[in-house]
Amino acid sequence: MDTSRLLRTTGTVIAAAGLLLSGCTSGGSGGPRAAASPTGPASSDGPGPSAAPGAVPAGLRSYYAQKLSWHDCGVPGFQCATMKAPLDYAKPASGQDIDLAVARRQATGPGKRLGSLVVNPGGPGGSGIGYLQAYAGIGYPEPVRARYDMVSFDPRGVDRSSPVECLTGQAMDKYTQVDQTPDNPAEQAELVKAFKEFATGCQARSKRILPHVSTVDAARDMDMFRAVLGDEKLNYVGASYGTFLGATYADLFPGRVGRLVLDGAMDPSRPALELNRDQTEGFETAFRSFAKDCAKQPDCPLGQGGPDAVAERLKEFFRKVDAQPVPTGEAARPLGESLATTGVIAALYDETAWPQLREALTSAMNGDGSGLLGLADSYYEREADGKYANLMSANAAVNCLDQPPAFTGPEAVNAALPSFEKASPVFGAGLAWASLNCTYWPVKATGAARPLTAKGAAPIVVVGTVRDPATPYKWAQALAGQLDSGTLLTYDGDGHTAYGRGSDCIDSAINRYLLEGTPPADGKRC
């Protein structure tokens, strides 16, 4: 359930899911000074030049001038701190603040330091700190880590930063099992009830922060973070939903754009209904690529033949587990259609997970659903002890604030089902019904779909993968066209996002841009 518009990079979906718990606690004092910035000395003693009086509204100056107390936070090589931000940017003098967790790994050298490189893994709801510690801070190319302080933050409402909380772990277990392809009015009513209970839980546990977790709020936080770090301009790599955050920042602060990479891009001009339907089509494209490969493998549990035949066998498997869930070793969590679908979708983010998906499907078809359940758990960031990260709660909170809901109610979903099922015969119905999640949200949307132009910004590199399941390639084409200084870099490959996933062509182009400031030629294809 709720697999639509969950947009995050591969590293936060499968293999790294268990690593993202390591992190920071707020507080502490002292800590080492930051390295010098390219625009002059910068440290935890003060903000950078763009935070000087007059550069920001008077009501925000104290926030931009704050000092960070960096301290070790349990992961070797990384330091953490807590940054204050106003709860409501419209009322910064209200005295109501929120705490934002931030982290860094300082440039390792050699070479002249280029400042800070902020990274975001997407979501919305993905932990930037978890991503930094588990992947970006140690896995980005060494020349980039040598010359940049690798930094990130958990956006407001996420994980360590005043998290949105909605359901207990036990309640989330039940929520993820609700049938997302209702076959009759009673099942539709049960699904609606689940969405309402989720929304009610969010309101009960997170009423204070729910109106203030939009992408615009997070982009404003990111500008404050840039200044507090001592950087005149923002250098940034955003993946998946992180491209929307980055593009929103560029549109708000075009003069403060440094080197921005938007990898696995979203199209901000598409309303929620079209985004969800486009993503449905993207997962179909990715599944057909998997199906072609699977049919060539001797261990393919879906048999031989073309993608249509393989798809029909997967649909038949979904129908069977819908009628009779498969045991998983956990009595309270058998593998029904919802969890099985989520498990398959999780593996489609990364083609290196295809062998794992074949094995999990084979086991499930032989009466053991634990493999697909494990994939679903990685997607939902559920731990073995039954606790969930707040990914799904934050995801709904941000999405439902950024745009009006895709549907007004079940009748509208039923009317749209044919278009979703055309987009994906395998996943269409489930993703259409998942798009109902914002309909019952307790806070009215504050944003709306619109093009983002960032007029006057420095060159921005937009990366699109041709067979990306979660962010269809046409979104990257659209965003690159909207941005006044956008340049499109294309990866003709599979999986979600492209940087750091094995293409020397892609990595070389982005590394050169980050290190030298030279963007690839618009339209370059790898």
Side-chain angles (χ1 to χ4, degrees), residues 314-328:
L314 181 61
K315 287 171 63 179
E316 178 59 26
F317 167 71
F318 285 156
R319 285 191 288 267
K320 287 182 177 179
V321 295
D322 185 30
Q324 184 61 53
V326 176
T328 63

Side-chain angles (χ1 to χ4, degrees), residues 135-428:
Y135 175 65
I138 56 176
Y140 268 37
E142 191 278 332
V144 173
R145 292 183 286 114
R147 300 184 63 189
Y148 282 101
D149 286 351
M150 300 295 297
V151 300
S152 194
F153 68 110
D154 283 355
R156 55 175 61 206
V158 175
D159 206 351
R160 305 160 183 84
S161 294
S162 305
V164 173
E165 297 177 348
C166 297
L167 300 178
T168 65
Q170 188 174 22
M172 273 297 296
D173 281 346
K174 293 180 180 178
Y175 180 69
T176 60
Q177 294 180 67
V178 175
D179 189 351
Q180 64 181 18
T181 56
D183 300 313
N184 53 57
E187 290 185 354
Q188 290 182 22
E190 188 67 23
L191 182 58
V192 168
K193 179 183 176 184
F195 283 135
K196 288 181 176 179
E197 289 177 348
F198 185 86
T200 299
C202 296
Q203 178 72 352
R205 293 171 173 81
S206 306
K207 182 178 181 180
R208 175 176 179 264
I209 196 172
L210 281 188
H212 307 293
V213 294
S214 72
T215 298
V216 168
D217 288 317
R220 289 172 172 165
D221 293 339
M222 194 155 63
D223 190 59
M224 186 189 306
F225 189 31
R226 168 203 58 77
V228 171
L229 288 168
D231 292 327
E232 184 175 4
K233 295 189 175 183
L234 178 76
N235 301 310
Y236 174 83
V237 177
S240 202
Y241 159 81
T243 65
F244 180 45
L245 175 59
T248 299
Y249 178 92
D251 201 56
L252 288 170
F253 308 105
R256 299 175 189 173
V257 168
R259 300 169 187 178
L260 261 64
V261 177
L262 308 180
D263 183 13
M266 287 186 67
D267 179 357
S269 71
R270 304 284 279 179
L273 174 58
E274 294 178 9
L275 284 174
N276 291 346
R277 190 160 46 208
D278 287 349
Q279 192 183 45
T280 301
E281 185 177 314
F283 279 113
E284 179 69 17
T285 298
F287 172 74
R288 293 181 74 84
S289 191
F290 162 76
K292 290 178 182 178
D293 179 78
C294 186
K296 300 174 184 177
Q297 308 301 326
D299 64 341
C300 181
L302 299 173
Q304 309 303 307
D308 289 341
V310 174
E312 186 55 43
R313 295 183 192 112
L314 181 61
K315 287 171 63 179
E316 178 59 26
F317 167 71
F318 285 156
R319 285 191 288 267
K320 287 182 177 179
V321 295
D322 185 30
Q324 184 61 53
V326 176
T328 63
E330 297 187 39
R333 296 203 306 147
L335 186 79
E337 183 181 13
S338 291
L339 288 172
T341 302
T342 302
V344 172
I345 282 177
L348 293 181
Y349 273 74
D350 185 354
E351 69 273 21
T352 64
W354 289 356
Q356 183 181 356
L357 177 56
R358 293 198 303 270
E359 182 179 351
L361 282 169
T362 299
S363 294
M365 290 176 175
N366 289 317
D368 178 6
S370 60
L372 281 178
L373 180 64
L375 284 168
D377 284 351
S378 74
Y379 192 91
Y380 287 129
E381 295 190 1
R382 182 191 190 272
E383 295 304 308
D385 61 3
K387 295 180 180 178
Y388 286 77
N390 87 312
L391 171 69
M392 301 309 297
S393 300
N395 179 263
V398 177
N399 279 336
C400 298
L401 206 57
D402 278 350
Q403 283 205 24
F407 294 119
T408 56
E411 297 81 6
V413 179
N414 280 311
L417 273 177
S419 66
F420 274 78
E421 290 177 325
K422 180 180 179 181
S424 174
V426 178
F427 305 111

